[in-house]
Short mmCIF file of all heavy atoms in Angstrom, two decimals:
data_model
loop_
_atom_site.label_atom_id
_atom_site.label_comp_id
_atom_site.label_asym_id
_atom_site.label_seq_id
_atom_site.Cartn_x
_atom_site.Cartn_y
_atom_site.Cartn_z
N LEU A 258 110.09 -16.65 -177.14
CA LEU A 258 108.79 -17.14 -177.60
C LEU A 258 107.99 -16.10 -178.38
O LEU A 258 107.17 -16.46 -179.23
CB LEU A 258 107.96 -17.66 -176.43
CG LEU A 258 108.55 -18.83 -175.64
CD1 LEU A 258 107.57 -19.27 -174.56
CD2 LEU A 258 108.91 -20.00 -176.55
N LYS A 259 108.20 -14.81 -178.06
CA LYS A 259 107.39 -13.77 -178.69
C LYS A 259 108.20 -12.80 -179.53
O LYS A 259 107.64 -11.85 -180.10
CB LYS A 259 106.62 -12.99 -177.61
CG LYS A 259 105.63 -13.84 -176.83
CD LYS A 259 104.85 -12.99 -175.84
CE LYS A 259 103.81 -13.83 -175.09
NZ LYS A 259 103.03 -13.00 -174.13
N ASP A 260 109.54 -13.01 -179.58
CA ASP A 260 110.41 -12.12 -180.35
C ASP A 260 110.25 -10.67 -179.92
O ASP A 260 110.26 -9.74 -180.74
CB ASP A 260 110.13 -12.25 -181.85
CG ASP A 260 110.47 -13.63 -182.37
OD1 ASP A 260 111.46 -14.21 -181.91
OD2 ASP A 260 109.72 -14.13 -183.24
N GLN A 261 110.14 -10.48 -178.62
CA GLN A 261 109.98 -9.14 -178.07
C GLN A 261 111.11 -8.84 -177.09
O GLN A 261 111.60 -9.72 -176.40
CB GLN A 261 108.64 -9.01 -177.36
CG GLN A 261 107.44 -9.17 -178.27
CD GLN A 261 106.12 -9.09 -177.51
OE1 GLN A 261 106.08 -8.81 -176.32
NE2 GLN A 261 105.02 -9.33 -178.22
N GLY A 262 111.49 -7.56 -177.04
CA GLY A 262 112.52 -7.13 -176.10
C GLY A 262 113.91 -7.54 -176.54
O GLY A 262 114.14 -7.98 -177.67
N GLU A 263 114.87 -7.39 -175.64
CA GLU A 263 116.25 -7.75 -175.90
C GLU A 263 116.70 -8.81 -174.88
O GLU A 263 116.20 -8.86 -173.76
CB GLU A 263 117.16 -6.52 -175.78
CG GLU A 263 116.84 -5.42 -176.79
CD GLU A 263 117.76 -4.24 -176.64
OE1 GLU A 263 118.60 -4.26 -175.71
OE2 GLU A 263 117.65 -3.30 -177.44
N MET A 264 117.65 -9.64 -175.30
CA MET A 264 118.18 -10.65 -174.39
C MET A 264 119.42 -10.09 -173.71
O MET A 264 120.52 -10.09 -174.27
CB MET A 264 118.50 -11.94 -175.16
CG MET A 264 119.05 -13.06 -174.28
SD MET A 264 118.26 -13.28 -172.66
CE MET A 264 116.54 -13.48 -173.11
N SER A 265 119.22 -9.58 -172.50
CA SER A 265 120.32 -8.97 -171.75
C SER A 265 120.67 -9.76 -170.50
O SER A 265 121.41 -9.28 -169.65
CB SER A 265 119.94 -7.53 -171.36
OG SER A 265 118.74 -7.51 -170.60
N LEU A 266 120.12 -11.00 -170.37
CA LEU A 266 120.41 -11.80 -169.19
C LEU A 266 121.86 -12.28 -169.22
O LEU A 266 122.40 -12.60 -170.28
CB LEU A 266 119.48 -13.00 -169.12
CG LEU A 266 118.01 -12.70 -168.87
CD1 LEU A 266 117.18 -13.98 -168.95
CD2 LEU A 266 117.80 -12.04 -167.50
N PRO A 267 122.49 -12.35 -168.06
CA PRO A 267 123.88 -12.83 -167.99
C PRO A 267 123.94 -14.35 -168.13
O PRO A 267 122.91 -15.03 -168.09
CB PRO A 267 124.33 -12.38 -166.60
CG PRO A 267 123.08 -12.43 -165.80
CD PRO A 267 121.97 -11.99 -166.73
N GLU A 268 125.14 -14.88 -168.25
CA GLU A 268 125.32 -16.33 -168.32
C GLU A 268 124.85 -17.01 -167.05
O GLU A 268 124.23 -18.08 -167.09
CB GLU A 268 126.81 -16.64 -168.55
CG GLU A 268 127.16 -18.11 -168.55
CD GLU A 268 126.99 -18.78 -169.89
OE1 GLU A 268 126.61 -18.08 -170.86
OE2 GLU A 268 127.23 -19.99 -169.98
N ALA A 269 125.13 -16.40 -165.90
CA ALA A 269 124.73 -16.99 -164.62
C ALA A 269 124.08 -15.93 -163.75
O ALA A 269 124.68 -14.88 -163.49
CB ALA A 269 125.93 -17.61 -163.91
N TYR A 270 122.84 -16.19 -163.33
CA TYR A 270 122.10 -15.31 -162.43
C TYR A 270 121.91 -16.12 -161.15
O TYR A 270 121.09 -17.04 -161.09
CB TYR A 270 120.75 -14.95 -163.05
CG TYR A 270 120.29 -13.53 -162.82
CD1 TYR A 270 119.78 -12.77 -163.87
CD2 TYR A 270 120.36 -12.95 -161.56
CE1 TYR A 270 119.35 -11.47 -163.67
CE2 TYR A 270 119.92 -11.65 -161.35
CZ TYR A 270 119.42 -10.92 -162.41
OH TYR A 270 119.00 -9.62 -162.20
N VAL A 271 122.67 -15.81 -160.11
CA VAL A 271 122.81 -16.70 -158.96
C VAL A 271 122.56 -15.94 -157.67
O VAL A 271 123.09 -14.84 -157.48
CB VAL A 271 124.21 -17.34 -158.95
CG1 VAL A 271 124.33 -18.34 -157.80
CG2 VAL A 271 124.50 -18.03 -160.27
N PHE A 272 121.78 -16.54 -156.77
CA PHE A 272 121.50 -15.90 -155.49
C PHE A 272 122.60 -16.27 -154.49
O PHE A 272 122.94 -17.44 -154.33
CB PHE A 272 120.15 -16.33 -154.94
CG PHE A 272 119.68 -15.52 -153.76
CD1 PHE A 272 119.06 -14.29 -153.94
CD2 PHE A 272 119.86 -15.98 -152.46
CE1 PHE A 272 118.63 -13.53 -152.86
CE2 PHE A 272 119.43 -15.24 -151.37
CZ PHE A 272 118.81 -14.00 -151.58
N GLU A 273 123.14 -15.26 -153.86
CA GLU A 273 124.19 -15.46 -152.86
C GLU A 273 123.56 -15.53 -151.48
O GLU A 273 123.08 -14.53 -150.94
CB GLU A 273 125.18 -14.29 -152.93
CG GLU A 273 126.30 -14.35 -151.92
CD GLU A 273 127.17 -13.11 -151.98
OE1 GLU A 273 127.16 -12.40 -153.01
OE2 GLU A 273 127.86 -12.84 -150.97
N THR A 274 123.51 -16.74 -150.92
CA THR A 274 122.99 -16.90 -149.58
C THR A 274 124.01 -16.38 -148.57
O THR A 274 125.18 -16.21 -148.87
CB THR A 274 122.67 -18.37 -149.30
OG1 THR A 274 123.82 -19.18 -149.56
CG2 THR A 274 121.53 -18.85 -150.19
N GLY A 275 123.55 -16.13 -147.37
CA GLY A 275 124.43 -15.53 -146.36
C GLY A 275 124.39 -14.02 -146.41
O GLY A 275 124.13 -13.36 -145.40
N ARG A 276 124.61 -13.46 -147.60
CA ARG A 276 124.46 -12.02 -147.79
C ARG A 276 123.09 -11.68 -148.35
O ARG A 276 122.67 -10.53 -148.32
CB ARG A 276 125.56 -11.47 -148.70
CG ARG A 276 125.65 -9.94 -148.65
CD ARG A 276 126.66 -9.38 -149.63
NE ARG A 276 128.03 -9.51 -149.14
CZ ARG A 276 129.03 -10.05 -149.82
NH1 ARG A 276 128.81 -10.56 -151.02
NH2 ARG A 276 130.24 -10.09 -149.32
N ASN A 277 122.41 -12.68 -148.91
CA ASN A 277 121.05 -12.54 -149.42
C ASN A 277 120.93 -11.47 -150.50
O ASN A 277 120.23 -10.47 -150.36
CB ASN A 277 120.07 -12.25 -148.28
CG ASN A 277 119.86 -13.45 -147.38
OD1 ASN A 277 120.14 -14.57 -147.77
ND2 ASN A 277 119.38 -13.21 -146.18
N GLN A 278 121.61 -11.74 -151.62
CA GLN A 278 121.52 -10.83 -152.76
C GLN A 278 121.73 -11.62 -154.05
O GLN A 278 122.39 -12.66 -154.06
CB GLN A 278 122.55 -9.71 -152.66
CG GLN A 278 124.00 -10.19 -152.73
CD GLN A 278 125.00 -9.07 -152.67
OE1 GLN A 278 124.65 -7.92 -152.39
NE2 GLN A 278 126.26 -9.37 -152.94
N TRP A 279 121.16 -11.11 -155.14
CA TRP A 279 121.39 -11.70 -156.45
C TRP A 279 122.74 -11.25 -156.99
O TRP A 279 123.13 -10.10 -156.83
CB TRP A 279 120.28 -11.30 -157.43
CG TRP A 279 118.98 -12.02 -157.19
CD1 TRP A 279 117.88 -11.54 -156.53
CD2 TRP A 279 118.65 -13.34 -157.63
NE1 TRP A 279 116.88 -12.49 -156.52
CE2 TRP A 279 117.32 -13.60 -157.18
CE3 TRP A 279 119.33 -14.33 -158.34
CZ2 TRP A 279 116.69 -14.81 -157.44
CZ3 TRP A 279 118.69 -15.54 -158.59
CH2 TRP A 279 117.38 -15.76 -158.14
N ARG A 280 123.44 -12.18 -157.64
CA ARG A 280 124.71 -11.87 -158.29
C ARG A 280 124.64 -12.32 -159.74
O ARG A 280 123.96 -13.29 -160.08
CB ARG A 280 125.87 -12.60 -157.59
CG ARG A 280 126.09 -12.25 -156.13
CD ARG A 280 126.78 -10.91 -155.96
NE ARG A 280 128.12 -10.89 -156.54
CZ ARG A 280 129.23 -11.26 -155.90
NH1 ARG A 280 129.17 -11.73 -154.65
NH2 ARG A 280 130.42 -11.16 -156.49
N THR A 281 125.36 -11.62 -160.61
CA THR A 281 125.43 -12.01 -162.01
C THR A 281 126.90 -12.27 -162.38
O THR A 281 127.80 -11.56 -161.93
CB THR A 281 124.85 -10.93 -162.94
OG1 THR A 281 125.56 -9.70 -162.75
CG2 THR A 281 123.38 -10.70 -162.63
N PHE A 282 127.10 -13.31 -163.21
CA PHE A 282 128.45 -13.69 -163.60
C PHE A 282 128.46 -14.02 -165.09
O PHE A 282 127.45 -14.45 -165.66
CB PHE A 282 128.93 -14.91 -162.82
CG PHE A 282 128.97 -14.71 -161.33
CD1 PHE A 282 127.93 -15.18 -160.53
CD2 PHE A 282 130.02 -14.04 -160.73
CE1 PHE A 282 127.96 -15.00 -159.15
CE2 PHE A 282 130.05 -13.85 -159.35
CZ PHE A 282 129.03 -14.33 -158.56
N GLY A 283 129.63 -13.86 -165.70
CA GLY A 283 129.79 -14.19 -167.11
C GLY A 283 130.01 -15.66 -167.36
O GLY A 283 130.03 -16.11 -168.52
N SER A 284 130.18 -16.44 -166.29
CA SER A 284 130.37 -17.89 -166.40
C SER A 284 130.07 -18.50 -165.05
O SER A 284 130.02 -17.81 -164.03
CB SER A 284 131.80 -18.22 -166.83
OG SER A 284 132.73 -17.79 -165.83
N TRP A 285 129.87 -19.81 -165.06
CA TRP A 285 129.75 -20.55 -163.80
C TRP A 285 130.55 -21.84 -163.91
O TRP A 285 130.38 -22.57 -164.86
CB TRP A 285 128.30 -20.87 -163.45
CG TRP A 285 128.24 -21.47 -162.07
CD1 TRP A 285 128.21 -22.81 -161.75
CD2 TRP A 285 128.28 -20.75 -160.84
NE1 TRP A 285 128.23 -22.96 -160.38
CE2 TRP A 285 128.28 -21.71 -159.80
CE3 TRP A 285 128.33 -19.40 -160.50
CZ2 TRP A 285 128.31 -21.36 -158.46
CZ3 TRP A 285 128.36 -19.03 -159.18
CH2 TRP A 285 128.35 -20.00 -158.17
N PRO A 286 131.45 -22.09 -162.94
CA PRO A 286 131.77 -21.23 -161.79
C PRO A 286 132.32 -19.89 -162.24
O PRO A 286 132.88 -19.78 -163.32
CB PRO A 286 132.83 -22.03 -161.03
CG PRO A 286 132.69 -23.44 -161.52
CD PRO A 286 132.22 -23.34 -162.93
N PRO A 287 132.19 -18.86 -161.40
CA PRO A 287 132.67 -17.54 -161.80
C PRO A 287 134.18 -17.51 -161.91
O PRO A 287 134.90 -18.28 -161.27
CB PRO A 287 132.18 -16.62 -160.68
CG PRO A 287 131.93 -17.52 -159.52
CD PRO A 287 131.55 -18.84 -160.07
N SER A 288 134.68 -16.62 -162.75
CA SER A 288 136.13 -16.42 -162.85
C SER A 288 136.62 -15.72 -161.59
O SER A 288 135.85 -15.13 -160.84
CB SER A 288 136.47 -15.60 -164.09
OG SER A 288 135.85 -14.33 -164.03
N GLY A 289 137.91 -15.80 -161.36
CA GLY A 289 138.49 -15.12 -160.20
C GLY A 289 138.34 -15.86 -158.91
O GLY A 289 138.38 -15.26 -157.83
N ILE A 290 138.17 -17.19 -158.97
CA ILE A 290 138.07 -17.99 -157.76
C ILE A 290 139.46 -18.38 -157.28
O ILE A 290 140.30 -18.82 -158.07
CB ILE A 290 137.20 -19.23 -158.00
CG1 ILE A 290 135.73 -18.86 -158.12
CG2 ILE A 290 137.38 -20.25 -156.89
CD1 ILE A 290 134.82 -20.04 -158.34
N ASP A 291 139.69 -18.22 -156.01
CA ASP A 291 140.93 -18.64 -155.37
C ASP A 291 140.70 -20.02 -154.78
O ASP A 291 140.02 -20.17 -153.77
CB ASP A 291 141.32 -17.63 -154.28
CG ASP A 291 142.57 -18.05 -153.53
OD1 ASP A 291 143.31 -18.92 -154.03
OD2 ASP A 291 142.81 -17.50 -152.43
N GLU A 292 141.25 -21.05 -155.42
CA GLU A 292 141.05 -22.41 -154.94
C GLU A 292 141.94 -22.68 -153.72
O GLU A 292 143.13 -22.42 -153.74
CB GLU A 292 141.36 -23.41 -156.06
CG GLU A 292 140.40 -23.30 -157.24
CD GLU A 292 140.66 -24.35 -158.30
OE1 GLU A 292 141.62 -25.14 -158.14
OE2 GLU A 292 139.91 -24.38 -159.28
N THR A 293 141.31 -23.18 -152.67
CA THR A 293 142.03 -23.39 -151.42
C THR A 293 141.41 -24.56 -150.66
O THR A 293 140.51 -25.23 -151.18
CB THR A 293 142.01 -22.10 -150.56
OG1 THR A 293 142.84 -22.25 -149.42
CG2 THR A 293 140.59 -21.76 -150.13
N SER A 294 141.89 -24.81 -149.46
CA SER A 294 141.36 -25.91 -148.65
C SER A 294 141.19 -25.46 -147.21
O SER A 294 141.97 -24.66 -146.69
CB SER A 294 142.31 -27.12 -148.68
OG SER A 294 142.29 -27.76 -149.93
N LEU A 295 140.15 -25.99 -146.58
CA LEU A 295 139.97 -25.90 -145.14
C LEU A 295 140.33 -27.25 -144.56
O LEU A 295 139.76 -28.28 -144.94
CB LEU A 295 138.51 -25.56 -144.80
CG LEU A 295 138.13 -24.08 -144.75
CD1 LEU A 295 136.62 -23.94 -144.64
CD2 LEU A 295 138.81 -23.38 -143.57
N TYR A 296 141.29 -27.26 -143.62
CA TYR A 296 141.80 -28.50 -143.06
C TYR A 296 141.15 -28.80 -141.71
O TYR A 296 140.98 -27.89 -140.88
CB TYR A 296 143.32 -28.42 -142.88
CG TYR A 296 144.08 -28.30 -144.18
CD1 TYR A 296 144.36 -27.03 -144.71
CD2 TYR A 296 144.50 -29.43 -144.87
CE1 TYR A 296 145.06 -26.92 -145.91
CE2 TYR A 296 145.20 -29.32 -146.06
CZ TYR A 296 145.48 -28.05 -146.57
OH TYR A 296 146.17 -27.93 -147.76
N LEU A 297 140.81 -30.06 -141.51
CA LEU A 297 140.33 -30.50 -140.20
C LEU A 297 141.53 -30.57 -139.27
O LEU A 297 142.54 -31.20 -139.57
CB LEU A 297 139.65 -31.86 -140.31
CG LEU A 297 138.59 -32.02 -141.41
CD1 LEU A 297 137.89 -33.36 -141.28
CD2 LEU A 297 137.59 -30.88 -141.41
N ARG A 298 141.40 -29.91 -138.10
CA ARG A 298 142.55 -29.78 -137.21
C ARG A 298 142.25 -30.31 -135.82
O ARG A 298 141.11 -30.68 -135.49
CB ARG A 298 142.97 -28.29 -137.14
CG ARG A 298 143.47 -27.71 -138.48
CD ARG A 298 144.81 -28.31 -138.87
NE ARG A 298 145.79 -28.08 -137.84
CZ ARG A 298 146.57 -26.98 -137.79
NH1 ARG A 298 146.49 -26.07 -138.74
NH2 ARG A 298 147.45 -26.83 -136.81
N GLU A 299 143.28 -30.32 -134.99
CA GLU A 299 143.17 -30.84 -133.64
C GLU A 299 142.20 -30.00 -132.82
O GLU A 299 142.01 -28.81 -133.08
CB GLU A 299 144.55 -30.88 -132.97
CG GLU A 299 145.18 -29.51 -132.77
CD GLU A 299 145.84 -28.94 -134.00
OE1 GLU A 299 145.87 -29.62 -135.06
OE2 GLU A 299 146.34 -27.79 -133.94
#
């Protein structure tokens, strides 16, 4: 809006709950995800 400063924000600025910290990623969903399943068991 004011043509001031530099645009250095990442693609995704996301708060990680549980650990309670901000994380930055080059994409969302982030790269490097291991897709898996949790199975309902006896």
Side-chain angles (χ1 to χ4, degrees):
L258 298 183
K259 297 183 178 181
D260 296 323
Q261 296 178 6
E263 298 180 356
M264 180 41 55
S265 57
L266 293 175
E268 176 86 1
Y270 218 134
V271 183
F272 191 82
E273 178 184 340
T274 54
R276 194 185 281 129
N277 290 341
Q278 64 178 10
W279 285 99
R280 299 283 298 272
T281 59
F282 300 100
S284 63
W285 187 264
S288 60
I290 287 180
D291 177 17
E292 295 184 358
T293 187
S294 289
L295 273 170
Y296 295 90
L297 311 187
R298 295 291 302 271
E299 64 280 358

